[in-house]
């Protein structure tokens, strides 16, 4: 029987530390608005968010309610902090420090699972460790070898668990449920050793905790992005233009907040509660890892764009900042559409149209001024939300936690 529980203050503290990595990625992208910079941000965050997901599922199954677990979780926070501090130079002088921090993140994750499930953790701990060692090895190289090792880390994350599941499925079936291993995003995506127990353990996950934990993460990311926007003003005097630009940026962020929290979060909890226990883990991976990745990255990209725009609102934007503004919104909407598709939340047409129209604002920024591109983005998002309010059946009853 599922045992519901809510997010603890220690988990929220953990999330605050983790979100600093996203703040650092915003800085990295703002300093290098190019394909190279975007590629680095994508690789770094995909690797980090894999293990964040692992810890989110870990505390769903192994609550930090004992002294040893709390201490280990605090140690993991310290390791994530090291990774965050090294983010700006992860593909350079800080690569080794980032790798060592990530290795510690993985080892603590495995140790915490061992507290409850013994040696069964090896099925996902070993691939995670190989991934971390690949990231660490990348720190000793520059250029293509470093990029290759980062890509290898991603392949280990996504490919090896699937291979393990296929190769060892028959052995796990005959061995029976003797290990009680738990899989998670950082736990090898359905490890073979957990085939016989996944229904009992992951299937019985607390849906309230899962949805609340990721919602809190998203709202913290919104908050950190607003702080990054404020930092972008630097020592500039507060003029009417800057205040107006900041207000418009906040309006965009508020519209993106509305799109998830006013309806989708509450509906997600309902969907998970209605889903058969043995199918919940796969649904959680699709909704809260694969779909959440672009949502979080979209917020970071938009914040980077605003940071580069806020002091030049009356000027023609360069292509990079204009793409960051529009692309950040579009990437968030793409993730939101994927999230809704996975959970069967509709409609999609208004947000799909908003995605296309958001990208169409790039010429507004490069051809007129950054201020007008922000205005256009606000109009696009409010138009989509207004259309949903007007033409979505049952809209008055479909509200979330907002």
């Amino acid at each position: 029987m599922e045992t519901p529980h809510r997010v603890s203050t220690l988990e929220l503290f953990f999330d605050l530390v983790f979100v600093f990595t996203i703040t650092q990625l915003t800085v990295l992208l703002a300093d290098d608005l190019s394909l190279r910079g975007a590629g680095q941000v994508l690789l770094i965050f995909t690797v980090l968010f894999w293990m964040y997901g692992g810890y989110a599922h870990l505390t769903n199954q192994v609550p930090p309610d004992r002294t040893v677990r709390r201490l280990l979780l605090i140690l993991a926070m310290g390791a994530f902090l090291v990774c965050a501090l090294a983010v700006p130079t992860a593909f350079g002088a800080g690569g080794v420090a980032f790798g060592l921090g990530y290795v510690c993140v993985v080892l603590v994750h495995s140790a915490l699972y061992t507290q409850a499930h013994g040696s069964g953790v090896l099925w996902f701990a070993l691939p995670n460790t190989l991934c971390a060692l690949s990231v660490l090895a990348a720190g000793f190289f520059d250029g293509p070898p470093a990029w290759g090792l980062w890509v290898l880390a991603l392949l280990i994350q996504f490919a090896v668990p699937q291979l393990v599941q296929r190769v060892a499925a028959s052995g796990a079936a005959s061995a029976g449920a003797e290990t009680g291993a738990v899989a998670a995003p950082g736990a090898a995506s359905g490890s073979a050793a957990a085939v016989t127990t996944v229904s009992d353990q992951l299937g019985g996950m607390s849906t309230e905790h899962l949805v609340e934990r990721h919602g809190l993460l998203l709202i913290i990311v919104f908050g950190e992005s607003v702080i990054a926007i404020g930092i972008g003003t630097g020592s500039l005097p507060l003029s009417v233009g800057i205040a107006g630009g900041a207000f418009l940026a906040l309006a965009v962020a508020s519209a993106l907040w509305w799109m998830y929290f006013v309806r989708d979060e509450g509906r997600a909890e309902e969907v998970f509660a209605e889903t058969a226990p043995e199918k919940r883990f796969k649904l959680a991976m699709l909704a809260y890892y694969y779909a959440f990745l672009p949502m979080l990255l979209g917020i970071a990209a938009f914040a980077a764009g605003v940071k580069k725009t806020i002091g030049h609102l009356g000027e023609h934007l360069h292509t990079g900042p204009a793409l960051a503004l529009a692309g950040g919104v579009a990437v968030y909407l793409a993730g939101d559409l994927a999230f809704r598709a996975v959970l069967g939340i509709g409609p999609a047409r208004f947000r799909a149209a908003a995605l296309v129209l958001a990208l169409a604002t790039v010429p507004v920024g490069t051809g007129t001024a950054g201020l007008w591109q922000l205005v256009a983005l606000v109009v696009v998002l409010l138009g989509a939300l207004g259309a949903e309010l007007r033409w979505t059946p049952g809209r008055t009853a479909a509200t979330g936690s907002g």
Side-chain angles (χ1 to χ4, degrees):
M1 180 177 179
E2 180 179 334
T3 304
H5 65 280
R6 292 295 181 179
V7 178
S8 67
T9 54
L10 181 56
E11 291 170 84
L12 184 57
F13 191 14
F14 181 96
D15 289 357
L16 287 168
V17 174
F18 172 75
V19 167
F20 180 50
T21 65
I22 301 179
T23 303
Q24 291 286 77
L25 288 169
T26 299
V27 173
L28 175 61
L29 185 59
D31 290 342
D32 186 9
L33 282 172
S34 65
L35 287 177
R36 178 179 176 276
Q40 289 182 358
V41 168
L42 179 62
L43 287 172
I44 293 170
F45 186 65
T46 302
V47 166
L48 287 174
F49 191 54
W50 177 265
M51 284 312 302
Y52 172 83
Y55 276 90
H57 283 265
L58 163 72
T59 53
N60 188 289
Q61 298 296 310
V62 188
D65 54 4
R66 303 176 188 175
T67 299
V68 172
R69 294 178 183 176
R70 290 169 180 153
L71 291 174
L72 285 172
L73 198 60
I74 291 171
L75 178 59
M77 289 163 56
F80 264 122
L81 182 60
V82 170
C83 291
L85 292 171
V87 159
T89 55
F91 277 75
V96 174
F98 184 98
L100 289 172
Y102 194 67
V103 168
C104 184
V105 166
V106 169
L107 293 179
V108 173
H109 178 263
S110 302
L112 275 164
Y113 261 128
T114 304
Q115 289 284 311
H117 303 295
S119 61
V121 302
L122 290 176
W123 283 105
F124 59 81
L126 289 178
N128 284 343
T129 302
L130 288 174
C131 170
L133 291 175
S134 182
V135 171
L136 175 59
F140 292 95
F141 297 93
D142 295 315
W147 284 82
L149 286 165
W150 275 91
V151 172
L152 176 61
L154 294 189
L155 291 176
I156 293 171
Q157 283 183 348
F158 297 123
V160 171
Q162 301 302 321
L163 179 63
V164 168
Q165 181 175 347
R166 288 171 173 77
V167 170
S170 58
S174 59
E178 59 183 7
T179 63
V182 178
S189 185
S191 305
V195 167
T196 56
T197 59
V198 70
S199 297
D200 295 331
Q201 301 206 31
L202 281 180
M205 73 173 78
S206 169
T207 58
E208 295 91 345
H209 179 278
L210 179 75
V211 174
E212 183 183 20
R213 181 74 185 272
H214 288 85
L216 288 171
L217 172 67
L218 190 60
I219 199 66
I220 294 170
V221 172
F222 275 122
E224 287 293 312
S225 297
V226 170
I227 292 172
I229 292 168
I231 293 173
T233 62
S235 58
L236 295 173
L238 181 60
S239 63
V240 174
I242 289 179
F247 181 83
L248 289 169
L250 181 61
V252 171
S254 298
L256 298 179
W257 168 87
W258 194 291
M259 287 183 165
Y260 177 79
F261 286 100
V262 169
R263 180 173 182 241
D264 291 6
E265 184 185 44
R267 190 68 188 100
E269 190 167 326
E270 294 173 6
V271 170
F272 273 98
E274 295 164 359
T275 300
E278 66 274 11
K279 297 180 180 179
R280 286 180 186 166
F281 173 67
K282 181 179 180 180
L283 189 64
M285 279 290 296
L286 292 173
Y288 285 114
Y289 181 71
Y290 294 110
F292 245 56
L293 260 173
M295 292 175 70
L296 296 170
L297 284 171
I299 297 170
F302 175 74
V306 173
K307 186 177 180 181
K308 299 294 287 187
T309 303
I310 197 74
H312 310 279
L313 289 168
E315 304 172 14
H316 295 266
L317 295 181
H318 293 295
T319 303
L323 274 174
L325 290 175
V329 172
V331 169
Y332 178 94
L333 289 172
D336 179 67
L337 285 167
F339 182 86
R340 290 186 134 211
V342 166
L343 298 179
I345 302 172
R349 61 187 183 278
F350 303 118
R351 299 189 185 192
L355 188 159
V356 175
L357 291 173
L359 291 174
T361 66
V362 172
V364 176
T366 56
T368 57
L371 177 67
W372 294 113
Q373 185 177 2
L374 286 172
V375 170
L377 287 170
V378 171
V379 170
V380 167
L381 294 173
L382 292 183
L385 289 172
E388 285 186 2
L389 184 65
R390 174 66 178 81
W391 287 293
T392 301
R395 61 188 181 276
T396 55
T399 56
S401 63

